[in-house]
Amino acid sequence: METFESIWDAIEPPEHAEHMKARADVMFAVVERISALELSPAEAADRLGVKRSRIYELQAGKVNLFSLDKLVDFAARLGIHIQVITTGAA
């Protein structure tokens, strides 16, 4: 039985899996910050410049509905600093 590092590695081609993992990581950080700041969905939507329905999609983990660029924008608006770390063969 083959084992995978993440669910994305199991269900996506390698190049797409890496995008999905990055998006999921940033999404998790954004959702955690919204929770830590105790923002209501309306407050979070106002702060991020989106409709409340987008906050519900974030909180539901619908990673496929958000680009990495948009998630990084959200993170910046919440004071989250993104750091990219690469691993693997040189």
Side-chain angles (χ1 to χ4, degrees):
M1 177 185 271
E2 189 172 0
T3 60
F4 298 95
E5 184 179 313
S6 82
I7 186 66
W8 301 114
D9 293 322
I11 64 173
E12 299 288 351
E15 63 279 4
H16 196 239
E18 291 304 314
H19 283 270
M20 297 306 284
K21 287 188 279 186
R23 287 159 60 182
D25 287 348
V26 177
M27 178 180 275
F28 180 77
V30 167
V31 170
E32 286 294 305
R33 180 60 60 92
I34 289 169
S35 178
L37 294 172
E38 299 180 352
L39 298 175
S40 70
E43 292 167 328
D46 185 55
R47 191 152 178 188
L48 299 180
V50 297
K51 294 180 180 180
R52 196 175 321 159
S53 62
R54 296 296 275 165
I55 301 304
Y56 296 130
E57 291 167 345
L58 272 173
Q59 293 172 329
K62 295 186 177 185
V63 68
N64 59 317
L65 299 180
F66 296 89
S67 70
L68 183 56
D69 285 347
K70 183 53 73 178
L71 291 165
V72 169
D73 290 346
F74 292 167
R77 289 180 180 182
L78 294 169
I80 300 168
H81 302 283
I82 304 298
Q83 181 178 6
V84 177
I85 298 172
T86 60
T87 60

